Amino acid sequence: MATASKRVHMGDRTLTLKAVPFFTQLSDRELDVVRSVSVEKSYPRSAVVLTEGEMGDSLYMIQTGKVKVFIGDEDGREIILKILGPGDFFGEMSMIDKQPRSASVTTLEASTFHILSHAAFANCIEQAPRIANFVMRVLAQRVREADRKIGTLALMDVYGRVASTLLELAVYNNGVLMVGEKLSQQDLANMVGASREMVNRILKDLSDRGFITVESKSITIINRELPPTL
Ligand code: CMP
């Protein structure tokens, strides 16, 4: 009885929270804790959410939308570290160590976040300690991924970097392996540390050789055995 009335009390907000993978791992009580300490905020497409080097102590959980995490230089060149979507979070590093933001984050599409301040997060894990385990697991995965990326950047030529990034981004959609991210060729170039022209040439070559098909909003992988070099 108590549980049922609690669900009614939490209403639509709980239902939307439940749709996100992170939240589906939490019980109703844990969800109630997150709900009570987070602030919901929406951003339009191409909005700056975090800026590298600035101070900040909030963690952002993505409810809907997509963001890119990147580092840049004064000439406007950027390297995209990661694309994040619903169920992912960012901003945890400064929240944990109170150092400036390690990277910038902008929205790739209209997005809604649940934002937790350092104090709110501390409150959250005091009441629902499993949330801390989850954050630690994600941090470990990110280090693994960063290690893989260092290996790719150091050991592969641009051709191999494009091929491995396409495979990393691709997901099965109705049995078809495709990169459905709304990524421009410039974004892809910024992920592999190459020029847009070079990426364009490599995509054309992979397409001419029958490994992929390139459409305006997606790239389909026809043969997973993408060649690591020309
Ligand atoms: P923070 O340093 O607070 O702000 C920028 C955020 O970008 C950072 O926390 C992480 O959440 C995120 N971030 C930084 N580096 C990576 C990475 N290599 N992969 C995924 N996310 C990252």
Side-chain angles (χ1 to χ4, degrees):
M1 193 64 197
T3 310
S5 66
K6 187 166 151 193
R7 282 211 181 99
V8 170
H9 157 69
M10 290 174 71
D12 286 349
R13 179 87 185 269
T14 304
L15 289 178
T16 31
L17 286 179
K18 274 276 192 193
V20 176
F22 171 58
F23 299 111
T24 56
Q25 302 183 25
L26 306 181
S27 67
D28 281 351
R29 194 191 71 78
E30 289 165 330
L31 272 176
D32 217 357
V33 171
V34 174
R35 174 183 167 272
S36 65
V37 297
S38 73
V39 175
E40 194 176 300
K41 196 165 169 191
S42 296
Y43 287 75
R45 184 173 185 272
S46 301
V48 177
V49 186
L50 299 182
T51 304
E52 181 184 351
E54 285 189 354
M55 296 306 290
D57 80 342
S58 297
L59 175 147
Y60 294 67
M61 293 183 279
I62 306 175
Q63 169 77 20
T64 59
K66 214 164 260 181
V67 302
K68 67 174 174 181
V69 178
F70 64 98
I71 45 180
D73 67 11
E74 280 153 13
D75 299 328
R77 287 180 304 184
E78 61 181 52
I79 283 280
I80 298 179
L81 301 172
K82 186 80 183 158
I83 307 283
L84 300 172
D88 291 325
F89 59 78
F90 58 89
E92 77 292 344
M93 290 168 65
S94 297
M95 189 200 69
I96 291 168
D97 68 7
K98 303 205 165 148
Q99 294 296 305
R101 296 293 187 190
S102 61
S104 298
V105 178
T106 60
T107 55
L108 289 173
E109 51 189 71
S111 305
T112 300
F113 309 119
H114 293 282
I115 306 174
L116 288 161
S117 67
H118 178 88
F121 186 74
N123 182 340
C124 211
I125 56 178
E126 200 170 291
Q127 296 184 60
R130 284 197 323 153
I131 293 172
N133 285 348
F134 178 79
V135 172
M136 283 193 293
R137 246 196 347 260
V138 173
L139 283 176
Q141 281 163 10
R142 280 191 186 157
V143 175
R144 282 178 196 282
E145 232 173 83
D147 286 353
R148 266 202 306 276
K149 197 160 227 163
I150 291 167
T152 308
L153 285 171
L155 303 172
M156 284 185 169
D157 63 16
V158 186
Y159 204 97
R161 302 207 297 265
V162 170
S164 85
T165 302
L166 289 178
L167 287 174
E168 193 187 306
L169 293 171
V171 288
Y172 278 99
N173 194 344
N174 290 328
V176 179
L177 188 60
M178 59 195 302
V179 181
E181 310 272 1
K182 287 180 192 139
L183 280 186
S184 65
Q185 290 191 1
Q186 185 62 59
D187 286 332
L188 196 50
N190 292 347
M191 293 182 90
V192 301
S195 68
R196 192 191 60 74
E197 292 74 16
M198 175 71 96
V199 167
N200 179 278
R201 235 175 297 146
I202 292 169
L203 291 178
K204 182 163 181 329
D205 185 72
L206 286 170
S207 171
D208 289 348
R209 295 165 76 185
F211 287 100
I212 62 171
T213 54
V214 182
E215 284 114 50
S216 64
K217 289 206 173 98
S218 63
I219 296 173
T220 302
I221 315 263
I222 296 165
N223 179 351
R224 287 191 57 100
E225 302 303 316
L226 297 182
T229 188
L230 259 177

